[in-house]
Amino acid sequence: MLEIKNLHVKLEEEDKQILKGVNLTVEAGKVHAIMGPNGSGKSTLSYVLSGREGYEVTEGSATLEGEELLEMEPEERAAAGLFLAFQYPVEIPGVGNMTFLRTAVNAQRKARGEEEMSAAEFLKVVREKAKALKIDADMLKRPVNMGFSGGEKKRNEILQMAMLEPKMCILDETDSGLDVDAMKLVSEGVNALRDEGRAFLVITHYQRLLDHITPDVVHIMAGGRIVKTGGPELALEVERNGYADIMSEAV
Amino acid sequence: MMARAQAKQDALSARIAALALPEGLRPARDAALARLSGMGLPLRREEYWIYTDPARLNAAEPPALAAEGEADFFAALDRARIVFTDGAFDAAASDDLAQAGVEIETLSDAASRDIHWVRDFYGSLETQGQTPVARPFAALNTAFAADGVVIRVTAEATRPVELVYRSTGTVSDPILHHCVKVEGGAALTLLEVGFAGARYNTTLEVDVADGGRFNHIRTQGRAHERVANTHLFARVGAEAVFKSFTLSANGILTRNEAVIELAGAAGVAHIAGAAIGEAGFHHDDTVFITHGAPGCESRQVYKKVLKNGAVGVFQGKILVRQVAQKTDGYQISQSLLLDDDSQFLAKPELEIYADDVKCSHGSTSGAIDETGLFYLRSRGVPEAEARVLLVLAFLAEALQEIEDETIAEEIRSRLESWLL
Ligand SMILES: Nc1ncnc2c1ncn2[C@@H]1O[C@H](COP(=O)(O)OP(=O)(O)OP(=O)(O)O)[C@@H](O)[C@H]1O
Ligand SMILES: [Mg+2]
């Protein structure tokens, strides 16, 4: 599904290398988790994959189902099936959440040469999925993420993912800011989407989320590289001992 | 000083050399001409003409203007249409005035029959509106307006009246003057559509009596060469509601002035504008709202989207007289600058003589939010479409001032198609 090879990324504005040779392959149907200390480059990796400006790829490649991602515009990546649940979801004053969702759904359909979703069908689907995430009608009407609490913003990210049904879902610390119940809702939302044709890359600091969303593979990122890869037990090890052992091992 | 006064008189002579005072309403026209002669025409850098060059509004020879080719506005509404072609009433293109559902006739007809209320009303609000700020182009309009409509509304009008301005490109100096009298408890929606020529001067005088409602929606279309100078004078009675929204797109020079007096207790006046333009575009909103009675509410909401060196101007004033306790005044003017070449010049003013008032005003200039743009694109919205969404979001507060849902939706979708 997603194949990242020797990815080197620096900031455009300054001479600062952030990713220093990331290698990562995520197969369809699998859930991969990335853990790693603050500032190790996890969000940077997710932004670079989704096409945010301000970064320069100096070496390496990233492909989604064989297609070169790094050459595409952000909207093309989305239409190709990539989705990023932001660590810090963005507030957009003046754009209603519903309008935003419908525009996004239909834009992607159009890009793939599919028919647009009718207003009635859209409404039905969005209400159903919002309900499952305990997002009320008022939140759907409000401007995108405006006045949403931290946890509400994260649930809104998952609603977008559920509506867009992407193939490759990257979740950047979607668990941070969620209360225990919301964590369950979000996990259920993710698990409901798990299937053979879809893959997840879950960035998190805590085992807590992985209790609900069991990963197939766990990676540890440090200093702009994947320094260790293992099974679910690796996350438990981090939970118990932190990163010190792993880092010294990796060096 | 003398030279300046002379220059103002010279500008006036040049402007009116080819104009003749029309028949009818002569006392009002003569008085307006006398006011005008006393003022002369404004020169650059006078107060209220610091940001906009008046010489461009009164050039002796207006440029030619191609027809607009925009699909008819408000086709979905049942409305009475009155068409002015090249500044003259176009009976063939207009609906039957007798069927409009309100008392309505052309200014020239009303003038020839010397209708009482028109004789007393014509130019009266314009005259009041000359203090404290002189508005010579409005006096010129009252003196020389060739036509227009006069409307008296005595009940709730069943459908909107629409004034449509067309230009064939041959005559480019239309001067139109409209008078609207909304009686106590009556209501009217007035639509104004189009541009009338390469140089276009309209005045609208509106009196909304106690408990009356007047709703005004104006669209100034996309003709690039259009030069427009409009005045709106309104007097709002007790518990009366006045609302006006203007959509402007393109036009090398547009100056929309509004002078509104809240004259009775608990009156409401909202005035809003959404403007988009690029390159040679210069758009000026100059607004003066007087709170002359207690417990009134006023809102000024102006949004301008400026691109490729476009210039936006906002001069807005709220004057609260001593009697006007419990005033609720709000004013916002904002620009969205789509590049570094464009500029927004704003002069918000408050002058308050009452002590128990709530007045807020704000003015900002900003660029498209790049983070929001990326967020939208990351969800699959193409860049151009995402930018339009953000521009419409910026305009939203002004568009919200449109009460009628059908009209609001039409304005939104026009904007969308113009922006894409
Ligand atoms: N635009 C930027 N300007 C300056 N430094 C940046 C920028 N973007 C990222 N960095 C730096 O790059 C490094 C990696 O940041 P990144 O946000 O990817 O870390 P992270 O692994 O997601 O951390 P966290 O776990 O705290 O979310 C950090 O040291 C950060 O300060
Ligand atoms: Mg991060």
Side-chain angles (χ1 to χ4, degrees):
Chain A
M1 175 70 65
L2 179 69
E3 195 161 3
I4 303 167
K5 282 190 190 149
N6 195 30
L7 188 62
H8 286 71
V9 171
K10 69 180 267 298
L11 291 177
E12 219 163 50
E13 299 276 293
E14 47 185 298
D15 209 18
K16 183 171 174 187
Q17 199 75 30
I18 298 178
L19 300 184
K20 301 168 183 167
V22 175
N23 287 294
L24 181 67
T25 302
V26 182
E27 305 85 18
K30 298 284 194 260
V31 174
H32 286 226
I34 297 188
M35 304 180 84
N38 293 134
S40 56
K42 304 180 298 295
S43 292
T44 301
L45 174 65
S46 68
Y47 284 142
V48 169
L49 291 175
S50 51
R52 187 179 181 138
E53 280 175 20
Y55 305 103
E56 191 185 323
V57 175
T58 52
E59 221 183 311
S61 70
T63 57
L64 182 69
E65 295 190 307
E67 275 189 90
E68 187 52 65
L69 265 183
L70 304 178
E71 302 292 311
M72 296 185 209
E73 297 295 335
E75 54 268 34
E76 293 170 337
R77 303 178 195 208
L82 186 77
F83 179 89
L84 168 63
F86 283 55
Q87 182 173 2
Y88 305 108
V90 180
E91 299 184 352
I92 312 184
V95 176
N97 210 11
M98 277 291 221
T99 309
F100 168 65
L101 281 167
R102 201 177 59 231
T103 308
V105 167
N106 284 333
Q108 293 202 14
R109 289 188 164 218
K110 209 165 129 193
R112 294 193 215 107
E114 297 164 14
E115 217 168 280
E116 291 194 359
M117 215 185 220
S118 76
E121 191 192 348
F122 172 81
L123 215 66
K124 190 176 146 253
V125 177
V126 84
R127 284 205 179 121
E128 197 177 291
K129 297 195 192 270
K131 197 171 159 213
L133 287 160
K134 292 224 163 70
I135 291 175
D136 62 26
D138 177 59
M139 273 168 70
L140 288 174
K141 265 189 241 146
R142 285 208 318 246
V144 179
N145 292 326
M146 292 292 291
F148 286 28
S149 74
E152 287 170 345
K153 284 181 181 169
K154 297 301 178 80
R155 278 187 276 150
N156 201 31
E157 295 290 288
I158 300 304
L159 174 64
Q160 292 164 40
M161 184 173 82
M163 289 304 295
L164 294 168
E165 302 185 324
K167 289 181 203 154
M168 181 68 233
C169 310
I170 305 173
L171 298 141
D172 190 358
E173 292 196 30
T174 301
D175 53 339
S176 68
L178 291 180
D179 65 40
V180 181
D181 296 329
M183 173 102 65
K184 266 188 84 180
L185 288 176
V186 162
S187 307
E188 280 162 14
V190 170
N191 288 330
L193 281 172
R194 284 178 81 155
D195 77 29
E196 289 303 300
R198 186 170 285 130
F200 291 85
L201 190 58
V202 180
I203 299 169
T204 183
H205 285 295
Y206 305 108
Q207 170 61 34
R208 225 170 32 151
L209 179 72
L210 304 179
D211 287 340
H212 298 286
I213 308 170
T214 318
D216 299 292
V217 184
V218 175
H219 308 275
I220 306 299
M221 187 159 188
R225 264 187 220 108
I226 303 291
V227 295
K228 187 163 185 180
T229 295
E233 73 288 347
L234 191 51
L236 291 167
E237 190 188 326
V238 168
E239 183 89 345
R240 272 195 311 273
N241 304 327
Y243 293 108
D245 294 354
I246 297 168
M247 309 260 286
S248 59
E249 220 176 280
V251 168
Chain B
M1 206 54 221
M2 286 298 288
R4 203 167 164 86
Q6 192 54 49
K8 288 164 78 86
Q9 290 301 325
D10 291 348
L12 176 59
S13 308
R15 175 66 183 93
I16 65 178
L19 299 174
L21 282 189
E23 285 310 307
L25 299 167
R26 278 314 277 266
R29 292 184 190 278
D30 289 338
L33 189 56
R35 278 197 297 285
L36 178 59
S37 302
M39 295 183 268
L41 285 187
L43 299 178
R44 189 104 208 231
R45 312 235 168 270
E46 272 173 36
E47 201 190 359
Y48 284 95
W49 292 97
I50 292 164
Y51 306 125
T52 298
D53 180 6
R56 291 177 65 202
L57 285 173
N58 60 35
E61 280 303 316
L65 177 63
E68 188 177 41
E70 188 72 32
D72 276 358
F73 264 87
F74 308 125
L77 294 180
D78 176 23
R79 75 264 196 232
R81 298 184 90 200
I82 299 163
V83 179
F84 292 89
T85 302
D86 296 328
F89 174 59
D90 188 339
S94 301
D95 290 341
D96 182 2
L97 296 189
Q99 303 297 312
V102 291
E103 286 175 37
I104 181 167
E105 53 194 311
T106 62
L107 180 70
S108 45
D109 279 352
S112 69
R113 295 201 291 108
D114 200 21
I115 296 177
H116 259 93
W117 77 263
V118 178
R119 195 179 55 203
D120 294 342
F121 187 60
Y122 183 79
S124 64
L125 295 183
E126 175 259 301
T127 308
Q128 281 175 34
Q130 295 292 351
T131 38
V133 180
R135 303 173 198 276
F137 289 107
L140 185 149
N141 180 293
T142 301
F144 293 102
D147 218 333
V149 288
V150 303
I151 303 176
R152 195 161 69 127
V153 197
T154 53
E156 187 148 342
T158 48
R159 52 186 183 146
V161 171
E162 180 187 25
L163 308 176
V164 181
Y165 307 122
R166 288 187 185 147
S167 168
T168 58
T170 48
V171 180
S172 287
D173 200 8
I175 304 178
L176 296 170
H177 192 120
H178 311 300
C179 297
V180 178
K181 213 171 163 57
V182 180
E183 303 284 6
L188 176 73
T189 294
L190 181 72
L191 310 169
E192 278 188 281
V193 171
F195 63 99
R199 180 174 57 203
Y200 155 55
N201 180 327
T202 63
T203 291
L204 171 61
E205 293 183 282
V206 185
D207 181 73
V208 193
D210 296 352
R213 279 182 295 129
F214 177 75
N215 194 4
H216 176 230
I217 305 285
R218 172 167 63 178
T219 67
Q220 300 175 319
R222 289 202 296 160
H224 181 70
E225 297 85 357
R226 184 194 65 233
V227 171
N229 178 208
T230 76
H231 287 87
L232 169 53
F233 296 97
R235 185 195 160 278
V236 183
E239 291 177 22
V241 177
F242 169 95
K243 291 195 175 177
S244 175
F245 171 86
T246 299
L247 168 69
S248 309
N250 296 357
I252 47 173
L253 177 60
T254 306
R255 168 127 160 167
N256 293 327
E257 295 196 28
V259 183
I260 303 167
E261 195 195 348
L262 288 154
V268 172
H270 289 192
I271 186 157
I276 59 171
E278 54 185 306
F281 178 87
H282 182 110
H283 192 282
D284 175 335
D285 282 297
T286 294
V287 182
F288 198 118
I289 296 188
T290 303
H291 282 254
C296 294
E297 173 196 310
S298 73
R299 280 174 74 83
Q300 301 173 40
V301 182
Y302 285 90
K303 303 266 184 159
K304 296 179 203 283
V305 180
L306 307 169
K307 189 172 158 186
N308 285 338
V311 178
V313 175
F314 174 77
Q315 309 183 100
K317 180 157 181 170
I318 309 176
L319 168 65
V320 181
R321 294 198 194 283
Q322 204 172 352
V323 294
Q325 299 296 353
K326 305 275 185 216
T327 282
D328 182 358
Y330 174 76
Q331 180 196 80
I332 184 111
S333 64
Q334 295 182 306
S335 76
L336 181 63
L337 306 176
L338 296 182
D339 52 53
D340 295 336
D341 302 333
S342 303
Q343 55 173 331
F344 181 54
L345 306 157
K347 192 171 114 186
E349 290 179 280
L350 291 179
E351 194 178 326
I352 301 177
Y353 297 102
D355 44 31
D356 184 12
V357 302
K358 195 175 92 194
C359 272
S360 66
H361 66 147
S363 182
T364 64
S365 280
I368 285 267
D369 173 22
E370 291 297 329
T371 317
L373 185 65
F374 172 64
Y375 192 60
L376 286 164
R377 295 178 72 190
S378 79
R379 299 306 183 238
V381 183
E383 183 176 358
E385 216 178 304
R387 284 186 187 277
V388 171
L389 260 184
L390 293 176
V391 170
L392 287 173
F394 165 76
L395 293 172
E397 189 184 359
L399 300 181
Q400 270 157 19
E401 290 293 324
I402 305 171
E403 252 173 40
D404 185 287
E405 263 311 306
T406 317
I407 294 176
E409 197 35 59
E410 164 150 11
I411 301 252
R412 242 190 96 86
S413 65
R414 292 271 174 167
L415 271 168
E416 206 171 330
S417 71
W418 293 346
L419 287 165
L420 266 173

